[in-house]
């Protein structure tokens, strides 16, 4: 189980661009405890090793993987484009930028997929605990909000 103190995040809005009075122009940065960050890193390492060992990830999944950079993803796309051009075929690309995509992840669906990958029992319960009862408060300068649930 993940202790409640590890599920509390201090959120600081960092200005991105545009008009400073527009809330959408700020990126929320969540600050967690040092121990929580170490625990996250340990679980990330274990999860990556598990996914690699059992070859669970799609070979062209480039994000958040060791030795799979965005440069490699671009090279793969360019290579495919050239292959089709060499065959005198048409090439069309559709690219989407999904803003705040991580904010739209349904935790129940994520946990279902984690379980289907073979992550069960104690480790599954850890992930479930980690994603449950998350709380946050926001600070701007010396002023902080009340703690709220996510």
């Amino acid at each position: 189980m993940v202790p409640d103190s590890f599920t509390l995040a201090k959120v600081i809005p960092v200005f991105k661009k545009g008009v400073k009075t527009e809330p959408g122009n700020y990126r929320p940065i969540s600050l967690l405890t040092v121990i929580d960050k170490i625990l996250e890193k340990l679980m990330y390492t274990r999860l990556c090793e598990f996914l690699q060992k059992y070859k669970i990830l799609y070979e062209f999944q480039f994000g958040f993987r060791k030795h799979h950079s965005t440069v490699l993803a671009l090279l793969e796309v360019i290579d495919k484009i050239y292959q089709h051009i060499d065959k005198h075929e048409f090439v069309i690309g559709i690219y989407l930028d999904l803003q705040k995509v991580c904010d739209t992840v349904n935790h129940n669906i994520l946990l279902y997929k984690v379980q289907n990958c073979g992550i069960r029992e104690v480790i599954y319960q850890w992930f479930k605990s980690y994603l449950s009862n998350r709380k946050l408060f926001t600070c701007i300068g010396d002023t902080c909000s009340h703690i709220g649930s996510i």
Side-chain angles (χ1 to χ4, degrees):
M1 301 301 288
V2 177
D4 287 341
S5 61
F6 289 6
T7 63
L8 178 63
K10 177 181 180 180
V11 178
I12 299 173
V14 175
F15 180 69
K16 293 187 298 185
K17 62 181 178 181
V19 182
K20 288 193 173 192
T21 56
E22 183 66 36
N25 292 335
Y26 289 81
R27 174 181 294 135
I29 304 296
S30 297
L31 303 177
L32 302 168
T33 67
V34 173
I35 295 172
D36 186 39
K37 294 304 289 180
I38 292 170
L39 187 59
E40 275 185 15
K41 186 68 174 175
L42 289 170
M43 291 305 288
Y44 169 79
T45 302
R46 286 186 71 185
L47 179 61
C48 287
E49 288 172 0
F50 177 85
L51 295 173
Q52 279 188 290
K53 179 179 179 181
Y54 295 102
K55 297 180 181 3
I56 293 172
L57 294 179
Y58 176 59
E59 65 178 310
F60 296 113
Q61 167 65 46
F62 291 98
F64 306 103
R65 289 181 70 190
K66 191 182 272 187
H67 310 298
H68 289 75
S69 68
T70 53
V71 172
L72 288 176
L74 287 172
L75 289 173
E76 181 65 30
V77 169
I78 290 169
D79 185 50
K80 293 290 183 193
I81 290 170
Y82 282 139
Q83 286 177 17
H84 290 284
I85 289 173
D86 288 344
K87 295 177 188 175
H88 304 290
E89 296 174 344
F90 290 104
V91 178
I92 297 172
I94 299 174
Y95 300 91
L96 303 173
D97 180 13
L98 303 175
Q99 292 181 330
K100 301 180 182 177
V101 70
C102 292
D103 296 341
T104 64
V105 174
N106 181 303
H107 290 174
N108 291 327
I109 293 171
L110 179 62
L111 288 168
Y112 174 79
K113 291 186 178 227
V114 162
Q115 200 168 38
N116 279 343
C117 287
I119 298 165
R120 297 188 177 89
E121 299 175 18
V122 174
I123 302 301
Y124 173 81
Q125 290 302 322
W126 184 90
F127 279 109
K128 187 174 180 179
S129 172
Y130 183 82
L131 294 171
S132 302
N133 301 317
R134 305 293 299 180
K135 297 189 181 341
L136 63 77
F137 65 98
T138 303
C139 290
I140 300 175
D142 294 334
T143 305
C144 295
S145 70
H146 294 288
I147 295 173
S149 295
I150 298 175

